[in-house]
Amino acid sequence: MTTLAYPPPLDDGVVRVRPWHDGDLRCVEQASQDPTIPLGTTVPARYTEEEGRAYLARQHARLTSGQGISLAIACLDTDEAVGHINLMTRPQRGVAGIGYWVVPAARRQGVAPRAIALLTAWGLGAGGFARVEAWVDPDNHASQRVLELCGYLLEGRLRSFLTFGGRRTDVLVYSRVTADAGR
Ligand SMILES: CC(C)(COP(=O)(O)OP(=O)(O)OC[C@H]1O[C@@H](n2cnc3c(N)ncnc32)[C@H](O)[C@@H]1OP(=O)(O)O)[C@@H](O)C(=O)NCCC(=O)NCCS
């Protein structure tokens, strides 16, 4: 049985995964300026402070509504938020979908792999999930690479599964399950 609650702040000595707070608006603003992030998320494509605050409120509302756990990825030394990571509950008991983004200025520094490793380990451990899966656009090679780095297995391809950026797209399905521990 999975009970939704925020994990304690998780860190690996470089990044911290923690709940969003009011000081994180700059991160939402930076994400809104990326051409890709607003297409597949609720990050506003046109940032205003009001839209930014609404985004932060939506992240906390996901926990209370049971939709999932939505957290900021922050630099451990400054606590500056540089990305987002979530575990969204799927209809199947014990299954979560993982999603993530990193602001352009913080990319190519291993931030996403660190955060995914932290939240996956928590999700399949204390978080009580049996399976964490990711749905990835076949053209998104960076996302596929970070999942492989985090020990996710490619299971297959679902055809015409999602609408992304106004077009139908296939998705690649990756997963990590409790039996993978240590792999
Ligand atoms: C995908 C994303 C989260 C990656 O975050 P990141 O912290 O920059 O990840 P890094 O680049 O540090 O990731 C590590 C690996 O991906 C590789 N990588 C990064 N960009 C790549 C690209 N365009 N093509 C192939 N590999 C790429 C890196 O070389 C690195 O692999 P290595 O250690 O073997 O060299 C980030 O690019 C992003 O936010 N993209 C927009 C939102 C998005 O696509 N989210 C995922 C939706 S499923």
Side-chain angles (χ1 to χ4, degrees), residues 120-158:
T120 302
W122 176 83
L124 295 176
F129 291 99
R131 168 186 169 92
V132 179
E133 63 180 24
W135 296 340
V136 185
D137 185 330
D139 293 337
N140 193 339
H141 301 292
S143 187
Q144 292 165 49
R145 180 71 189 132
V146 298
L147 290 166
E148 287 163 6
L149 285 171
C150 294
Y152 279 69
L153 287 186
L154 175 60
E155 295 180 327
R157 183 175 186 125
L158 301 175

mmCIF file of all heavy atoms in Angstrom, residues 120-158:
data_model
loop_
_atom_site.group_PDB
_atom_site.id
_atom_site.type_symbol
_atom_site.label_atom_id
_atom_site.label_comp_id
_atom_site.label_asym_id
_atom_site.label_seq_id
_atom_site.Cartn_x
_atom_site.Cartn_y
_atom_site.Cartn_z
ATOM 1 N N THR A 120 14.446 7.786 -7.134
ATOM 2 C CA THR A 120 14.097 6.397 -7.454
ATOM 3 C C THR A 120 14.409 5.493 -6.262
ATOM 4 O O THR A 120 13.591 4.633 -5.891
ATOM 5 C CB THR A 120 14.872 5.918 -8.692
ATOM 6 O OG1 THR A 120 14.575 6.772 -9.786
ATOM 7 C CG2 THR A 120 14.486 4.488 -9.054
ATOM 8 N N ALA A 121 15.581 5.692 -5.670
ATOM 9 C CA ALA A 121 15.958 4.849 -4.521
ATOM 10 C C ALA A 121 14.972 5.042 -3.376
ATOM 11 O O ALA A 121 14.536 4.075 -2.734
ATOM 12 C CB ALA A 121 17.374 5.186 -4.074
ATOM 13 N N TRP A 122 14.586 6.289 -3.151
ATOM 14 C CA TRP A 122 13.608 6.539 -2.087
ATOM 15 C C TRP A 122 12.256 5.926 -2.465
ATOM 16 O O TRP A 122 11.594 5.266 -1.645
ATOM 17 C CB TRP A 122 13.449 8.034 -1.823
ATOM 18 C CG TRP A 122 12.389 8.282 -0.801
ATOM 19 C CD1 TRP A 122 12.520 8.224 0.560
ATOM 20 C CD2 TRP A 122 10.999 8.564 -1.062
ATOM 21 N NE1 TRP A 122 11.308 8.453 1.162
ATOM 22 C CE2 TRP A 122 10.362 8.667 0.196
ATOM 23 C CE3 TRP A 122 10.251 8.745 -2.221
ATOM 24 C CZ2 TRP A 122 8.987 8.941 0.299
ATOM 25 C CZ3 TRP A 122 8.897 9.012 -2.120
ATOM 26 C CH2 TRP A 122 8.283 9.113 -0.865
ATOM 27 N N GLY A 123 11.826 6.141 -3.712
ATOM 28 C CA GLY A 123 10.505 5.664 -4.133
ATOM 29 C C GLY A 123 10.365 4.150 -4.005
ATOM 30 O O GLY A 123 9.331 3.653 -3.563
ATOM 31 N N LEU A 124 11.428 3.434 -4.389
ATOM 32 C CA LEU A 124 11.379 1.968 -4.334
ATOM 33 C C LEU A 124 11.726 1.436 -2.946
ATOM 34 O O LEU A 124 11.615 0.247 -2.697
ATOM 35 C CB LEU A 124 12.341 1.368 -5.379
ATOM 36 C CG LEU A 124 11.978 1.650 -6.835
ATOM 37 C CD1 LEU A 124 13.052 1.099 -7.776
ATOM 38 C CD2 LEU A 124 10.610 1.059 -7.190
ATOM 39 N N GLY A 125 12.129 2.337 -2.062
ATOM 40 C CA GLY A 125 12.419 1.948 -0.684
ATOM 41 C C GLY A 125 11.338 2.474 0.247
ATOM 42 O O GLY A 125 10.200 1.974 0.257
ATOM 43 N N ALA A 126 11.704 3.503 0.995
ATOM 44 C CA ALA A 126 10.778 4.051 1.987
ATOM 45 C C ALA A 126 9.483 4.559 1.372
ATOM 46 O O ALA A 126 8.434 4.571 2.037
ATOM 47 C CB ALA A 126 11.465 5.174 2.766
ATOM 48 N N GLY A 127 9.532 4.976 0.111
ATOM 49 C CA GLY A 127 8.334 5.498 -0.544
ATOM 50 C C GLY A 127 7.267 4.448 -0.801
ATOM 51 O O GLY A 127 6.104 4.784 -1.031
ATOM 52 N N GLY A 128 7.661 3.198 -0.823
ATOM 53 C CA GLY A 128 6.681 2.119 -0.898
ATOM 54 C C GLY A 128 6.215 1.735 -2.288
ATOM 55 O O GLY A 128 5.288 0.931 -2.426
ATOM 56 N N PHE A 129 6.839 2.283 -3.337
ATOM 57 C CA PHE A 129 6.445 1.883 -4.692
ATOM 58 C C PHE A 129 7.179 0.598 -5.096
ATOM 59 O O PHE A 129 8.303 0.339 -4.654
ATOM 60 C CB PHE A 129 6.771 2.990 -5.703
ATOM 61 C CG PHE A 129 5.906 4.207 -5.543
ATOM 62 C CD1 PHE A 129 6.368 5.325 -4.845
ATOM 63 C CD2 PHE A 129 4.628 4.236 -6.074
ATOM 64 C CE1 PHE A 129 5.570 6.448 -4.688
ATOM 65 C CE2 PHE A 129 3.820 5.363 -5.915
ATOM 66 C CZ PHE A 129 4.286 6.468 -5.222
ATOM 67 N N ALA A 130 6.540 -0.190 -5.943
ATOM 68 C CA ALA A 130 7.144 -1.422 -6.449
ATOM 69 C C ALA A 130 7.799 -1.207 -7.814
ATOM 70 O O ALA A 130 8.669 -1.975 -8.219
ATOM 71 C CB ALA A 130 6.079 -2.511 -6.570
ATOM 72 N N ARG A 131 7.338 -0.169 -8.504
ATOM 73 C CA ARG A 131 7.818 0.086 -9.876
ATOM 74 C C ARG A 131 7.805 1.592 -10.120
ATOM 75 O O ARG A 131 6.823 2.271 -9.777
ATOM 76 C CB ARG A 131 6.883 -0.617 -10.875
ATOM 77 C CG ARG A 131 7.054 -0.226 -12.327
ATOM 78 C CD ARG A 131 5.964 -0.896 -13.178
ATOM 79 N NE ARG A 131 5.941 -0.344 -14.524
ATOM 80 C CZ ARG A 131 6.634 -0.844 -15.561
ATOM 81 N NH1 ARG A 131 7.406 -1.898 -15.398
ATOM 82 N NH2 ARG A 131 6.570 -0.279 -16.747
ATOM 83 N N VAL A 132 8.899 2.105 -10.698
ATOM 84 C CA VAL A 132 8.937 3.491 -11.169
ATOM 85 C C VAL A 132 9.201 3.426 -12.667
ATOM 86 O O VAL A 132 10.165 2.783 -13.110
ATOM 87 C CB VAL A 132 10.030 4.309 -10.457
ATOM 88 C CG1 VAL A 132 10.042 5.739 -10.997
ATOM 89 C CG2 VAL A 132 9.800 4.319 -8.948
ATOM 90 N N GLU A 133 8.336 4.067 -13.434
ATOM 91 C CA GLU A 133 8.483 4.017 -14.892
ATOM 92 C C GLU A 133 8.590 5.417 -15.463
ATOM 93 O O GLU A 133 8.172 6.396 -14.848
ATOM 94 C CB GLU A 133 7.295 3.276 -15.526
ATOM 95 C CG GLU A 133 5.965 3.958 -15.306
ATOM 96 C CD GLU A 133 4.803 3.189 -15.955
ATOM 97 O OE1 GLU A 133 4.936 1.977 -16.156
ATOM 98 O OE2 GLU A 133 3.784 3.841 -16.240
ATOM 99 N N ALA A 134 9.176 5.483 -16.656
ATOM 100 C CA ALA A 134 9.309 6.764 -17.355
ATOM 101 C C ALA A 134 8.833 6.583 -18.782
ATOM 102 O O ALA A 134 9.111 5.554 -19.406
ATOM 103 C CB ALA A 134 10.763 7.213 -17.347
ATOM 104 N N TRP A 135 8.117 7.572 -19.279
ATOM 105 C CA TRP A 135 7.667 7.605 -20.670
ATOM 106 C C TRP A 135 8.484 8.692 -21.369
ATOM 107 O O TRP A 135 8.443 9.865 -20.951
ATOM 108 C CB TRP A 135 6.190 7.970 -20.755
ATOM 109 C CG TRP A 135 5.257 6.980 -20.116
ATOM 110 C CD1 TRP A 135 5.512 5.663 -19.822
ATOM 111 C CD2 TRP A 135 3.903 7.220 -19.705
ATOM 112 N NE1 TRP A 135 4.403 5.083 -19.251
ATOM 113 C CE2 TRP A 135 3.407 6.013 -19.172
ATOM 114 C CE3 TRP A 135 3.074 8.339 -19.744
ATOM 115 C CZ2 TRP A 135 2.111 5.888 -18.675
ATOM 116 C CZ3 TRP A 135 1.781 8.219 -19.248
ATOM 117 C CH2 TRP A 135 1.307 7.008 -18.725
ATOM 118 N N VAL A 136 9.202 8.328 -22.407
ATOM 119 C CA VAL A 136 10.157 9.251 -23.026
ATOM 120 C C VAL A 136 9.930 9.353 -24.523
ATOM 121 O O VAL A 136 9.780 8.330 -25.212
ATOM 122 C CB VAL A 136 11.607 8.764 -22.763
ATOM 123 C CG1 VAL A 136 12.611 9.784 -23.294
ATOM 124 C CG2 VAL A 136 11.841 8.525 -21.280
ATOM 125 N N ASP A 137 9.952 10.584 -25.022
ATOM 126 C CA ASP A 137 9.903 10.826 -26.459
ATOM 127 C C ASP A 137 11.125 10.156 -27.101
ATOM 128 O O ASP A 137 12.252 10.379 -26.644
ATOM 129 C CB ASP A 137 9.933 12.358 -26.679
ATOM 130 C CG ASP A 137 9.773 12.764 -28.127
ATOM 131 O OD1 ASP A 137 10.188 12.000 -29.020
ATOM 132 O OD2 ASP A 137 9.253 13.864 -28.363
ATOM 133 N N PRO A 138 10.917 9.360 -28.156
ATOM 134 C CA PRO A 138 12.071 8.688 -28.784
ATOM 135 C C PRO A 138 13.141 9.659 -29.276
ATOM 136 O O PRO A 138 14.300 9.269 -29.435
ATOM 137 C CB PRO A 138 11.433 7.923 -29.956
ATOM 138 C CG PRO A 138 10.015 7.708 -29.536
ATOM 139 C CD PRO A 138 9.637 8.933 -28.739
ATOM 140 N N ASP A 139 12.774 10.921 -29.521
ATOM 141 C CA ASP A 139 13.780 11.900 -29.962
ATOM 142 C C ASP A 139 14.550 12.519 -28.793
ATOM 143 O O ASP A 139 15.491 13.287 -29.016
ATOM 144 C CB ASP A 139 13.104 13.044 -30.742
ATOM 145 C CG ASP A 139 12.530 12.563 -32.063
ATOM 146 O OD1 ASP A 139 13.013 11.524 -32.578
ATOM 147 O OD2 ASP A 139 11.599 13.222 -32.574
ATOM 148 N N ASN A 140 14.134 12.229 -27.574
ATOM 149 C CA ASN A 140 14.773 12.866 -26.411
ATOM 150 C C ASN A 140 15.938 11.997 -25.913
ATOM 151 O O ASN A 140 15.826 11.229 -24.972
ATOM 152 C CB ASN A 140 13.737 13.086 -25.297
ATOM 153 C CG ASN A 140 14.252 14.000 -24.208
ATOM 154 O OD1 ASN A 140 15.463 14.166 -24.051
ATOM 155 N ND2 ASN A 140 13.341 14.587 -23.443
ATOM 156 N N HIS A 141 17.067 12.158 -26.587
ATOM 157 C CA HIS A 141 18.217 11.295 -26.287
ATOM 158 C C HIS A 141 18.830 11.608 -24.928
ATOM 159 O O HIS A 141 19.360 10.718 -24.261
ATOM 160 C CB HIS A 141 19.247 11.414 -27.411
ATOM 161 C CG HIS A 141 18.694 11.015 -28.740
ATOM 162 N ND1 HIS A 141 18.345 9.724 -29.049
ATOM 163 C CD2 HIS A 141 18.353 11.763 -29.830
ATOM 164 C CE1 HIS A 141 17.840 9.666 -30.267
ATOM 165 N NE2 HIS A 141 17.823 10.899 -30.762
ATOM 166 N N ALA A 142 18.780 12.875 -24.507
ATOM 167 C CA ALA A 142 19.328 13.220 -23.189
ATOM 168 C C ALA A 142 18.557 12.492 -22.090
ATOM 169 O O ALA A 142 19.140 11.921 -21.166
ATOM 170 C CB ALA A 142 19.264 14.733 -22.976
ATOM 171 N N SER A 143 17.227 12.482 -22.203
ATOM 172 C CA SER A 143 16.413 11.826 -21.182
ATOM 173 C C SER A 143 16.658 10.321 -21.171
ATOM 174 O O SER A 143 16.737 9.687 -20.107
ATOM 175 C CB SER A 143 14.937 12.135 -21.440
ATOM 176 O OG SER A 143 14.152 11.660 -20.390
ATOM 177 N N GLN A 144 16.776 9.721 -22.352
ATOM 178 C CA GLN A 144 17.058 8.274 -22.411
ATOM 179 C C GLN A 144 18.395 7.963 -21.751
ATOM 180 O O GLN A 144 18.534 6.991 -21.012
ATOM 181 C CB GLN A 144 17.059 7.814 -23.873
ATOM 182 C CG GLN A 144 15.679 7.870 -24.504
ATOM 183 C CD GLN A 144 15.739 7.771 -26.007
ATOM 184 O OE1 GLN A 144 16.391 6.888 -26.558
ATOM 185 N NE2 GLN A 144 15.072 8.677 -26.692
ATOM 186 N N ARG A 145 19.377 8.820 -21.990
ATOM 187 C CA ARG A 145 20.712 8.584 -21.428
ATOM 188 C C ARG A 145 20.686 8.665 -19.902
ATOM 189 O O ARG A 145 21.293 7.850 -19.221
ATOM 190 C CB ARG A 145 21.703 9.600 -22.011
ATOM 191 C CG ARG A 145 23.099 9.448 -21.511
ATOM 192 C CD ARG A 145 23.784 8.191 -22.065
ATOM 193 N NE ARG A 145 25.055 7.972 -21.384
ATOM 194 C CZ ARG A 145 25.441 6.794 -20.886
ATOM 195 N NH1 ARG A 145 24.692 5.734 -21.021
ATOM 196 N NH2 ARG A 145 26.608 6.698 -20.280
ATOM 197 N N VAL A 146 19.977 9.663 -19.359
ATOM 198 C CA VAL A 146 19.979 9.788 -17.890
ATOM 199 C C VAL A 146 19.290 8.575 -17.251
ATOM 200 O O VAL A 146 19.728 8.089 -16.211
ATOM 201 C CB VAL A 146 19.362 11.115 -17.381
ATOM 202 C CG1 VAL A 146 20.142 12.310 -17.873
ATOM 203 C CG2 VAL A 146 17.914 11.262 -17.701
ATOM 204 N N LEU A 147 18.247 8.064 -17.898
ATOM 205 C CA LEU A 147 17.577 6.887 -17.329
ATOM 206 C C LEU A 147 18.499 5.677 -17.361
ATOM 207 O O LEU A 147 18.564 4.893 -16.402
ATOM 208 C CB LEU A 147 16.282 6.610 -18.089
ATOM 209 C CG LEU A 147 15.182 7.651 -17.854
ATOM 210 C CD1 LEU A 147 14.070 7.500 -18.878
ATOM 211 C CD2 LEU A 147 14.617 7.548 -16.439
ATOM 212 N N GLU A 148 19.226 5.517 -18.473
ATOM 213 C CA GLU A 148 20.164 4.389 -18.556
ATOM 214 C C GLU A 148 21.231 4.513 -17.481
ATOM 215 O O GLU A 148 21.601 3.524 -16.836
ATOM 216 C CB GLU A 148 20.798 4.361 -19.947
ATOM 217 C CG GLU A 148 19.827 3.891 -21.017
ATOM 218 C CD GLU A 148 20.271 4.225 -22.434
ATOM 219 O OE1 GLU A 148 21.404 4.725 -22.619
ATOM 220 O OE2 GLU A 148 19.470 3.995 -23.343
ATOM 221 N N LEU A 149 21.718 5.749 -17.273
ATOM 222 C CA LEU A 149 22.734 5.960 -16.232
ATOM 223 C C LEU A 149 22.195 5.576 -14.847
ATOM 224 O O LEU A 149 22.962 5.184 -13.969
ATOM 225 C CB LEU A 149 23.173 7.435 -16.205
ATOM 226 C CG LEU A 149 24.085 7.902 -17.332
ATOM 227 C CD1 LEU A 149 24.238 9.425 -17.280
ATOM 228 C CD2 LEU A 149 25.450 7.224 -17.247
ATOM 229 N N CYS A 150 20.894 5.717 -14.657
ATOM 230 C CA CYS A 150 20.268 5.437 -13.354
ATOM 231 C C CYS A 150 19.754 3.998 -13.253
ATOM 232 O O CYS A 150 19.013 3.673 -12.320
ATOM 233 C CB CYS A 150 19.143 6.429 -13.092
ATOM 234 S SG CYS A 150 19.736 8.117 -12.901
ATOM 235 N N GLY A 151 20.126 3.152 -14.210
ATOM 236 C CA GLY A 151 19.776 1.737 -14.108
ATOM 237 C C GLY A 151 18.376 1.384 -14.536
ATOM 238 O O GLY A 151 17.892 0.290 -14.228
ATOM 239 N N TYR A 152 17.724 2.286 -15.252
ATOM 240 C CA TYR A 152 16.389 1.964 -15.776
ATOM 241 C C TYR A 152 16.542 1.059 -17.006
ATOM 242 O O TYR A 152 17.473 1.230 -17.799
ATOM 243 C CB TYR A 152 15.639 3.240 -16.180
ATOM 244 C CG TYR A 152 14.984 3.963 -15.021
ATOM 245 C CD1 TYR A 152 15.747 4.595 -14.055
ATOM 246 C CD2 TYR A 152 13.602 4.006 -14.914
ATOM 247 C CE1 TYR A 152 15.149 5.261 -12.989
ATOM 248 C CE2 TYR A 152 12.991 4.665 -13.864
ATOM 249 C CZ TYR A 152 13.771 5.287 -12.906
ATOM 250 O OH TYR A 152 13.163 5.940 -11.858
ATOM 251 N N LEU A 153 15.622 0.121 -17.154
ATOM 252 C CA LEU A 153 15.634 -0.776 -18.310
ATOM 253 C C LEU A 153 14.613 -0.314 -19.337
ATOM 254 O O LEU A 153 13.488 0.058 -18.981
ATOM 255 C CB LEU A 153 15.275 -2.201 -17.883
ATOM 256 C CG LEU A 153 16.321 -2.988 -17.109
ATOM 257 C CD1 LEU A 153 15.830 -4.421 -16.915
ATOM 258 C CD2 LEU A 153 17.667 -2.992 -17.826
ATOM 259 N N LEU A 154 15.006 -0.359 -20.610
ATOM 260 C CA LEU A 154 14.077 -0.058 -21.702
ATOM 261 C C LEU A 154 13.190 -1.284 -21.921
ATOM 262 O O LEU A 154 13.683 -2.385 -22.163
ATOM 263 C CB LEU A 154 14.874 0.261 -22.969
ATOM 264 C CG LEU A 154 14.057 0.487 -24.239
ATOM 265 C CD1 LEU A 154 13.089 1.661 -24.092
ATOM 266 C CD2 LEU A 154 14.986 0.707 -25.427
ATOM 267 N N GLU A 155 11.874 -1.068 -21.818
ATOM 268 C CA GLU A 155 10.939 -2.191 -21.955
ATOM 269 C C GLU A 155 10.279 -2.262 -23.323
ATOM 270 O O GLU A 155 9.841 -3.325 -23.751
ATOM 271 C CB GLU A 155 9.837 -2.079 -20.891
ATOM 272 C CG GLU A 155 10.369 -2.226 -19.486
ATOM 273 C CD GLU A 155 9.258 -2.099 -18.450
ATOM 274 O OE1 GLU A 155 8.312 -1.335 -18.685
ATOM 275 O OE2 GLU A 155 9.369 -2.774 -17.420
ATOM 276 N N GLY A 156 10.154 -1.115 -23.974
ATOM 277 C CA GLY A 156 9.496 -1.162 -25.280
ATOM 278 C C GLY A 156 8.998 0.203 -25.718
ATOM 279 O O GLY A 156 9.324 1.226 -25.114
ATOM 280 N N ARG A 157 8.221 0.164 -26.783
ATOM 281 C CA ARG A 157 7.746 1.389 -27.420
ATOM 282 C C ARG A 157 6.224 1.347 -27.540
ATOM 283 O O ARG A 157 5.666 0.363 -28.041
ATOM 284 C CB ARG A 157 8.389 1.471 -28.811
ATOM 285 C CG ARG A 157 8.064 2.717 -29.594
ATOM 286 C CD ARG A 157 8.876 2.706 -30.880
ATOM 287 N NE ARG A 157 8.722 3.915 -31.624
ATOM 288 C CZ ARG A 157 9.724 4.713 -32.026
ATOM 289 N NH1 ARG A 157 10.968 4.384 -31.754
ATOM 290 N NH2 ARG A 157 9.488 5.799 -32.704
ATOM 291 N N LEU A 158 5.568 2.383 -27.041
ATOM 292 C CA LEU A 158 4.110 2.493 -27.171
ATOM 293 C C LEU A 158 3.836 3.465 -28.317
ATOM 294 O O LEU A 158 4.267 4.622 -28.273
ATOM 295 C CB LEU A 158 3.501 3.008 -25.863
ATOM 296 C CG LEU A 158 3.764 2.138 -24.631
ATOM 297 C CD1 LEU A 158 3.222 2.818 -23.376
ATOM 298 C CD2 LEU A 158 3.135 0.761 -24.789
#
